[in-house]
């Protein structure tokens, strides 16, 4: 694989960078009145303003030239066609197939992928409909009131985020809870006030081999059987989502009540398929399909729009600009929507499990910094916590602000609706971050000279602003697909396989090796290293075990 940093396109950006590094957004706007209208793009219902970036038209031209040089167009085509671009696992990468319209045809490795996807969606819709209508009852004949999704990583973060995002659409009186952590506090806290007779567990695991999920599921099964007094209750209260029917059967779940998917769907790309069953039960199959249509809208945009108008390409390349040329290490994601409270956590897995790599797809070391660190909190809460650093800290933290025009409800407060105040905060923050406030402006307000420097707002801090009319199933689908494709764009430039996650394996194996050292009646003979040995001794002592 060629070294992208040796390309003339990379060099051109490196040469161009000092000019922009020495230019303030105030100057860029002053010299370019049409910038805000020009540096904006729409995709589906999403509107992106990227004018508050430290770029000129020339920067964007150079960034897109780099994308072309990296073979982004060919790679997009390869992904959508089902080529095995996940090289380390020799798999296709086809989460985009999960949202293909019913009449679309896609044959991959001899499989009619579209037909398979819709067969599962139909099975989910049938089951969800029965649960929602009360036709599907628990063992004692009562309707289901709570769905508990037991899963972790992609089998948790996606459905949990989307359920919260779309909770205003949950119209059947069925709520969902999500259990992921092997910390027993998670499961017991979620079960505490539940009626077992009206609870349905969805055990969600692509592999059905994940320690946390299987352990939680076993304890949940014991809780259910103890309460209902009969093993036979399990078949009415446990269903599974997995790619591994054998393990589902071994666990004791009837495979008729299993909803499948395929190895060409990565866990972190999977909640728009069967992993989203809890969401579908809560909001219904029609709303779920609206969400899928939203995903598909963004997929088509990504697949077909010219790079100059292509939202994921533009945002991905801007990520490269800050990460690899400005040396920024993180990106804040700041949704001005309480409903999107879990969106940053969801994005952390999507982006960092995908692009946190230090070898390229061909196994050679990477040649540039990879893997932006994603983090964030909903506005306005973040404003009263960490925005101080965003505004006046020494680090450059590019940020994505996400807002919606229409609220679900809008109480008035002092003339303005609460939602309008929320949006005013979003707009104020991006403006303050970009333009700041100079020492002269602060002094002119009569500020004592000794305090002026403390109050200076440097500005020149770049942001994306993404606006949509309303947070609906369709806009959520568009938003998630947008970030999926941003990950893809960045991964392509870095030349990495964004679809494996080998870095999580070692810790899992070591935990299984260490567990006996914590629990054995006799002091353990060895530990992986002296520090861990000392910690094991301390733990055992506090647990009352011979150290
Ligand atoms: O769905 P599974 O197979 O239980 O895996 C859960 C999560 O664990 C991981 O493999 C990481 O350990 C994620 O990629 C995945 O989303």
């Amino acid at each position: 694989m060629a070294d992208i940093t040796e390309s003339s396109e990379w060099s051109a950006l490196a040469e161009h960078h000092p000019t922009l590094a020495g230019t303030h957004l105030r100057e860029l706007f002053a010299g370019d009145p049409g910038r805000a209208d020009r540096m904006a793009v729409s995709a589906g219902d999403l509107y992106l303003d990227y004018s508050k970036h430290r770029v000129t038209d020339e920067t964007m031209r150079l960034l897109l030239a780099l994308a072309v040089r990296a073979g982004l167009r060919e790679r997009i085509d390869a992904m959508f066609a089902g080529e095995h671009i996940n090289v380390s696992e020799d798999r296709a990468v086809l989460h985009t197939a999960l949202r293909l319209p019913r009449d679309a045809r896609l044959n991959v490795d001899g499989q009619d992928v579209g037909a398979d996807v819709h067969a599962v969606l139909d099975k989910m819709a049938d089951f969800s409909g029965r649960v929602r209508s009360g036709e599907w009852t628990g063992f004692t004949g009562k309707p289901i009131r709570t769905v508990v999704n037991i899963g972790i990583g992609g089998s948790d973060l996606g459905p949990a985020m989307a359920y919260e995002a779309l909770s205003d659409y949950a119209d059947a009186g069925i709520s969902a809870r999500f259990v992921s952590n092997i910390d027993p506090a998670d499961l017991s806290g979620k079960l505490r006030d539940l009626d077992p007779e009206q609870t349905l567990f969805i055990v969600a695991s692509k592999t059905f081999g994940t320690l946390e999920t299987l352990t939680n599921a076993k304890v949940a099964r014991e809780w259910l059987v103890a309460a209902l007094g009969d093993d036979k209750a399990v078949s009415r209260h446990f269903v599974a989502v997995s790619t591994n029917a054998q393990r589902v059967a071994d666990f004791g779940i009837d495979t008729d009540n299993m909803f499948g998917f395929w190895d060409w769907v990565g866990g972190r790309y999977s909640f728009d398929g069967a992993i989203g069953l809890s969401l579908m039960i809560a909001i219904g199959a029609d709303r779920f399909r609206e969400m899928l249509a939203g995903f598909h809208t963004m997929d088509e945009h990504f697949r077909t729009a010219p790079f100059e108008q292509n939202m994921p390409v533009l945002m991905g390349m801007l990520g490269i600009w800050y990460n690899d040329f400005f040396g920024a290490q993180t990106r804040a994601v700041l949704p001005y929507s309480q409903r999107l409270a879990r969106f940053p956590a969801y994005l952390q897995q999507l982006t960092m499990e995908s692009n946190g790599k230090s070898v390229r797809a061909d196994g050679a070391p990477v040649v540039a910094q990879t893997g932006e660190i994603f983090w964030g909190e909903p506005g306005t809460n973040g404003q009263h916590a960490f925005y101080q650093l965003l505004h006046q800290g020494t680090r450059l933290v590019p940020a994505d602000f996400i807002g919606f025009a229409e609220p679900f409800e809008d109480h008035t407060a002092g003339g303005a609706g609460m939602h309008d105040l929320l949006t005013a905060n979003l707009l104020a923050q991006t403006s303050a971050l970009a333009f700041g406030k100079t020492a002269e402006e602060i002094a002119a307000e009569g500020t004592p000279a000794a305090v002026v420097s403390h109050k200076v707002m440097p500005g020149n801090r770049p942001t994306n602003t993404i606006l949509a009319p309303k947070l609906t199933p369709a806009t959520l689908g568009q938003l998630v697909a947008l970030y999926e494709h941003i990950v893809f764009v960045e991964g392509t430039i870095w030349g990495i396989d964004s679809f494996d996650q080998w870095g999580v394996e070692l810790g899992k194996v070591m935990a299984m090796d260490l567990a006996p050292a914590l629990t054995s009646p006799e002091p353990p003979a060895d530990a992986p290293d002296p520090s861990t040995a000392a910690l094991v001794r301390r733990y055992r002592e506090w647990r009352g075990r011979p150290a």
Side-chain angles (χ1 to χ4, degrees):
M1 183 182 282
D3 178 345
I4 191 76
T5 64
E6 296 284 316
S7 67
S8 56
E9 288 80 1
W10 189 282
S11 305
L13 279 160
E15 276 165 34
H16 177 70
H17 172 254
T19 317
L20 269 297
T23 307
H24 199 287
L25 276 166
R26 282 194 283 259
E27 298 162 60
L28 291 176
F29 272 84
D32 181 6
R35 184 179 170 91
D37 291 328
R38 208 176 57 252
M39 293 190 172
V41 65
S42 293
D45 298 308
L46 307 189
Y47 175 83
L48 167 70
D49 174 344
Y50 64 96
S51 64
K52 294 192 187 84
H53 277 293
R54 296 171 67 173
V55 295
T56 58
D57 291 341
E58 175 66 357
T59 321
M60 297 312 295
R61 194 186 65 71
L62 294 174
L63 284 169
L64 297 185
L66 181 67
V68 171
R69 176 60 179 251
L72 180 59
R73 168 59 55 210
E74 295 74 19
R75 223 177 127 73
I76 292 172
D77 292 343
M79 174 172 74
F80 279 90
E83 286 179 29
H84 286 210
I85 61 169
N86 176 353
V87 287
S88 79
E89 297 178 317
D90 191 17
R91 287 175 181 168
V93 173
L94 272 176
H95 44 278
T96 52
L98 294 175
R99 50 267 192 158
L100 279 174
R102 194 179 283 280
D103 54 0
R105 286 284 157 270
L106 177 63
N107 277 290
V108 173
D109 301 336
Q111 187 189 355
D112 183 349
V113 164
D116 290 353
V117 162
H118 282 278
V120 172
L121 282 173
D122 289 344
K123 185 175 174 183
M124 290 166 65
D126 174 62
F127 180 70
S128 305
R130 284 190 289 143
V131 174
R132 285 163 60 81
S133 69
E135 184 194 327
W136 176 282
T137 61
F139 185 61
T140 58
K142 290 190 181 171
I144 299 301
R145 285 282 148 260
T146 310
V147 174
V148 179
N149 185 85
I150 300 180
I152 197 164
S155 300
D156 166 72
L157 289 162
M161 176 278 291
Y163 171 72
E164 193 168 335
L166 301 178
S167 53
D168 292 280
Y169 295 90
D171 55 357
I174 300 176
S175 61
R177 296 182 185 189
F178 296 84
V179 174
S180 52
N181 201 328
I182 199 163
D183 182 341
D186 193 7
L187 181 66
S188 61
K190 303 275 169 46
L191 294 185
R192 193 163 294 136
D193 58 346
L194 281 188
D195 175 359
E197 292 178 86
Q198 299 198 285
T199 300
L200 176 73
F201 292 95
I202 299 174
V203 186
S205 173
K206 179 176 171 179
T207 54
F208 230 77
T210 303
L211 174 73
E212 292 88 339
T213 300
L214 294 188
T215 308
N216 275 316
K218 275 184 201 130
V219 176
R221 187 173 56 189
E222 282 161 19
W223 174 84
L224 183 94
V225 171
L228 301 187
D230 195 330
D231 269 352
K232 289 202 278 300
V234 171
S235 65
R236 303 298 301 174
H237 292 269
F238 275 79
V239 299
V241 179
S242 186
T243 57
N244 194 321
Q246 186 56 53
R247 287 185 179 165
V248 169
D250 292 347
F251 182 85
I253 294 177
D254 184 349
T255 47
D256 282 350
N257 298 330
M258 167 182 154
F259 302 83
F261 59 118
W262 307 271
D263 67 6
W264 40 259
V265 184
R268 53 194 176 272
Y269 297 86
S270 66
F271 85 85
D272 44 335
I275 290 290
L277 182 62
S278 52
L279 174 66
M280 190 190 270
I281 291 173
I283 67 172
D286 290 347
R287 296 292 196 193
F288 194 89
R289 288 187 201 281
E290 285 170 25
M291 183 184 77
L292 296 185
F295 271 96
H296 184 64
T297 300
M298 186 57 74
D299 293 342
E300 284 301 282
H301 168 83
F302 181 51
R303 195 174 65 79
T304 61
F307 285 178
E308 296 74 20
Q309 300 294 321
N310 195 312
M311 198 181 284
V313 173
L314 293 168
M315 285 182 71
M317 294 311 297
L318 285 163
I320 296 287
W321 180 231
Y322 295 112
N323 188 74
D324 292 315
F325 294 90
F326 278 84
Q329 297 200 332
T330 84
R331 180 196 301 221
V333 179
L334 309 165
Y336 277 65
S337 163
Q338 190 59 32
R339 295 283 185 270
L340 287 181
R342 293 294 285 160
F343 193 57
Y346 166 74
L347 284 186
Q348 285 179 333
Q349 186 198 13
L350 177 68
T351 60
M352 299 202 275
E353 201 172 68
S354 296
N355 281 344
K357 311 282 166 64
S358 46
V359 295
R360 293 184 297 177
D362 62 2
V366 293
V367 291
Q369 287 290 340
T370 66
E372 293 179 83
I373 299 166
F374 275 72
W375 61 285
E377 278 288 320
T380 58
N381 299 7
Q383 291 175 206
H384 297 272
F386 54 78
Y387 278 36
Q388 165 65 35
L389 183 148
L390 299 189
H391 283 289
Q392 288 188 317
T394 55
R395 293 174 193 282
L396 178 69
V397 184
D400 295 352
F401 283 72
I402 302 168
F404 301 91
E406 219 183 298
F408 288 99
E409 48 187 327
D410 194 10
H411 304 287
T412 52
M418 286 177 77
H419 186 78
D420 297 326
L421 291 173
L422 175 72
T423 307
N425 271 277
L426 182 163
L427 299 174
Q429 290 297 328
T430 57
S431 184
L433 283 164
F435 302 109
K437 202 163 180 184
T438 63
E440 295 72 41
E441 288 167 333
I442 289 164
E445 291 171 348
T447 307
V451 183
V452 168
S453 63
H454 294 276
K455 289 192 156 186
V456 168
M457 300 288 281
N460 214 16
R461 287 152 197 250
T463 55
N464 286 308
T465 302
I466 300 169
L467 291 181
K470 187 174 179 177
L471 180 56
T472 62
T475 52
L476 181 71
Q478 292 167 20
L479 196 59
V480 172
L482 169 64
Y483 280 91
E484 288 177 348
H485 299 323
I486 291 169
V487 166
F488 184 87
V489 170
E490 293 187 344
T492 297
I493 303 301
W494 293 322
I496 59 183
D497 182 343
S498 301
F499 304 100
D500 59 14
Q501 59 284 319
W502 296 107
V504 302
E505 296 306 326
L506 177 61
K508 292 182 192 174
V509 173
M510 289 178 69
M512 294 313 288
D513 289 348
L514 266 167
L518 301 181
T519 55
S520 63
E522 294 306 316
D526 53 10
D529 60 82
S531 161
T532 306
L535 292 165
V536 166
R537 279 197 299 279
R538 174 55 56 102
Y539 179 88
R540 288 181 62 93
E541 202 178 300
W542 283 344
R543 290 284 276 167
R545 293 171 188 153

